[in-house]
Amino acid sequence: MQVLIDFQDSLLQGIKENFQRFLNKKINWNQRMIGIKGPRGAGKTTLMLQHLKFTLSKNQVNGLYVTADHPWFYQNNLLDTAMTWFKQGGQVLLIDEVHKYPNWSRELKNIYDGLPQLQVIFSASSALDIYRGESDLSRRVISYTLPGLSFREYLKLSETADFPSFTLEEIQHRHREISHEVISTIRPLLYFEKYLSKGYLPIFVEGENEYGSKLEQIINTVVDTDLAYISSYNAGTAAKVKKLLGVIAESAPFKPNVSAISTKLNISRDRILEHIYQLKDARILNVLLSRGKGVSRLQKPDKLFLENTNLAFAINSSPDKGNLRETFLLNQLLNAGYEVFEPKKGDFWVNEITIEVGGKNKSSQQVINEDEYLIASDDIETGWGKKIPLWLFGFLY
């Protein structure tokens, strides 16, 4: 047990409190079992260690952080570790990357049922369906998702400026007021361009020059390792998924022809759909369905997007600007918790509003007959009427 405590103490030395992700304030930290999902590099580990160092320790609550791939677990299991920690006065057990531990759901259930006075907080890959493990955790765990940074969070983490977040309704009705507050402090378009290429994951603070290569490593690790743990991939399956991702990335966002992709890659239609939704769960893709369609993993997506704009730059050094605009807006809306669909006219339909995305000269001609519409316009600092600066949607969370 001492080796785990020493490992934890070493990690805590580098943890600071100057920047915390938005999710920190949304989590009900009093729940007995908390699951935090999210893409690699989003900051799940830091979030847990900040909670341990600046909340639990300050309140004199005994917490222990472990990572499921630590050599300790070559000879010890999670349940025994939890029992030993509890017997030594432990009150909270924080488990990082739980999906890398065999039989994770069964042992979490046993810890929950057998140690009712021990709180468990764990993190996992976005692709992990916490509620569909070997054991039923649906009544036990409260799950949260930590996405990549919003544009607003990027500005704060880069120590450029600190602004509050706003709801879609506030942006819709107060965008001129909010925009003027922002431009009185910074020139947002300069930073927005940097964010789109190298600002979605907190690892940008480690060096922008290395960001692209690290993002490529993350993509490879998600497919080769995370999905292998979760979906029983083998090397052949991983290679096919990478080919599929390559085909999608060439044209995203686009309306997929699943039959054509199936023929090109020699993979069955059902497998193509299965892999698309696995990549969606892993936060590599975003899927858009038309209004009124049921949500099903056998449902062909109406449109496919890369999950964030940084992925577009990692795969293509000069991605299409129009595609980047749509990818950014969908990403920020979904990460803020909004349900988004493809409308008959325009680009997105959310909260009964049709949104058309474009450059600074984008008109409302395509959506003028819709009951409620907005124009998300790039390359402008302030908007007017129903035309809103695209960058301002990066303040939704």
Side-chain angles (χ1 to χ4, degrees), residues 190-215:
L190 171 64
Y191 300 100
F192 186 54
E193 186 175 347
K194 292 181 180 179
Y195 168 79
L196 292 179
S197 61
K198 297 180 179 180
Y200 186 61
L201 296 176
I203 56 173
F204 80 83
V205 298
E206 300 170 10
E208 291 187 3
N209 293 336
E210 296 79 31
Y211 186 86
S213 60
K214 288 182 179 179
L215 192 55

Side-chain angles (χ1 to χ4, degrees), residues 290-291 341-349 354 366-367 370:
S290 296
R291 289 170 56 185
F341 300 93
E342 184 181 46
K344 293 180 180 178
K345 295 181 179 180
D347 293 308
F348 304 114
W349 187 80
T354 300
Q366 189 171 347
V367 292
E370 298 299 305

